[in-house]
Amino acid sequence: QKEVEQDPGPLSVPEGAIVSLNCTYSNSVFQYFMWYRQYSRKGPELLMYTYSSGNKEDGRFTAQVDKSSKYISLFIRDSQPSDSATYLCAMRFNQGGKLIFGQGTELSVKP
Amino acid sequence: SQTIHQWPATLVQPVGSPLSLECTVEGTSNPNLYWYRQAAGRGLQLLFYSVGIGQISSEVPQNLSASRPQDRQFILSSKKLLLSDSGFYLCAWRDGYTEAFFGQGTRLTVV
């Protein structure tokens, strides 16, 4: 079993839709949770960062962590064609720990 | 502000040839440095990480090695490339106050 599981998609939605991206993980020791966005042929860029459980909102993006279910989510409201990219979840055990990535979900937002 | 440089952007190498990819970071001191590989449609696989000059940890036994000759320089090498070494190689850095920031990657094709 992989430490972090993420549906690779592809996921295709119309412009303006609400997008829900998810990851599950197996190790309850993970404390720090991140979402990265990666455009084609580019390096990943950090989108959201949360510590432990709870929600965090930044503009159209909301990151949610449910440690009891070992489940994290990223919601994108009013999705735009420019949101089309691969979204990678990542997590680590502690402040200095290694970053473990999910497989990434490919998202396409159609005009 | 901090920046990370990674080169070359694209590389085509014959099987059995050597490899040297370089990554440098500006604007920070004593960063943690990472090399990841991303196969097509896959997540990021951690290859090496370094917490200081000359300190290298290997995550996956393979045909590659890493070195950190200076505080902000991280080099990925191979003496003889295999077809299976093809992929997208990403360098990243972080310090005690940030999450990981990635370079723009090197797309390596071994032919």
Side-chain angles (χ1 to χ4, degrees), chain A residues 2 8 32 34 36 38 40-46 49 88 92 94-104, chain B residues 32 34 36 38 41-44 46 49 59 88 90 94-105 107:
Chain A
K2 291 181 181 177
Y32 298 83
M34 280 70 66
Y36 284 81
Q38 185 178 25
S40 180
R41 297 182 172 270
K42 299 291 185 182
E45 56 179 332
L46 181 66
Y49 154 70
L88 297 140
R92 55 187 171 83
N94 53 35
Q95 186 66 14
K98 296 174 293 186
L99 208 52
I100 308 298
F101 281 86
Q103 186 176 348
Chain B
N32 289 352
Y34 305 86
Y36 286 87
Q38 186 176 34
R42 302 286 297 276
L44 277 67
L46 179 62
Y49 71 96
E59 287 297 301
F88 191 42
L90 290 155
R94 67 179 296 260
D95 60 22
Y97 308 100
T98 68
E99 289 305 324
F101 291 93
F102 286 83
Q104 289 304 294
R107 189 160 303 279

Side-chain angles (χ1 to χ4, degrees), chain B residues 1 4 7 9 18-19 25 38 45 47 55 60 63-64 66 69 79-80 83-85 92 97 102-103 108-109:
Chain B
S1 63
I4 179 168
W7 67 93
L19 172 74
V25 180
Q38 186 176 34
Q45 179 188 35
L47 301 176
Q55 300 177 63
V60 182
N63 187 39
L64 301 168
K79 292 182 179 178
K80 289 186 177 182
L83 287 174
S84 58
D85 291 324
Y97 308 100
F102 286 83
L108 172 67
T109 304

Side-chain angles (χ1 to χ4, degrees), chain A residues 8-14 18-21 37-39 61 74 76 79-87 104-110:
Chain A
L11 179 63
S12 183
V13 301
I18 297 174
V19 177
S20 174
L21 303 167
R37 177 174 62 195
Q38 185 178 25
Y39 291 113
F61 298 89
L74 177 70
I76 307 174
S79 56
Q80 303 295 309
S82 58
D83 295 327
S84 298
T86 296
Y87 290 80
T105 299
E106 183 182 349
L107 171 67
S108 178
V109 181
K110 304 295 187 184

Side-chain angles (χ1 to χ4, degrees), chain B residues 13-19 37 61-64 77-87 89 108-111:
Chain B
Q13 293 283 97
V15 169
S17 64
L19 172 74
R37 179 169 62 197
Q62 49 198 308
N63 187 39
L64 301 168
S77 303
S78 174
K79 292 182 179 178
K80 289 186 177 182
L81 283 169
L82 306 172
L83 287 174
S84 58
D85 291 324
S86 294
Y89 288 83
L108 172 67
T109 304
V110 182
V111 296

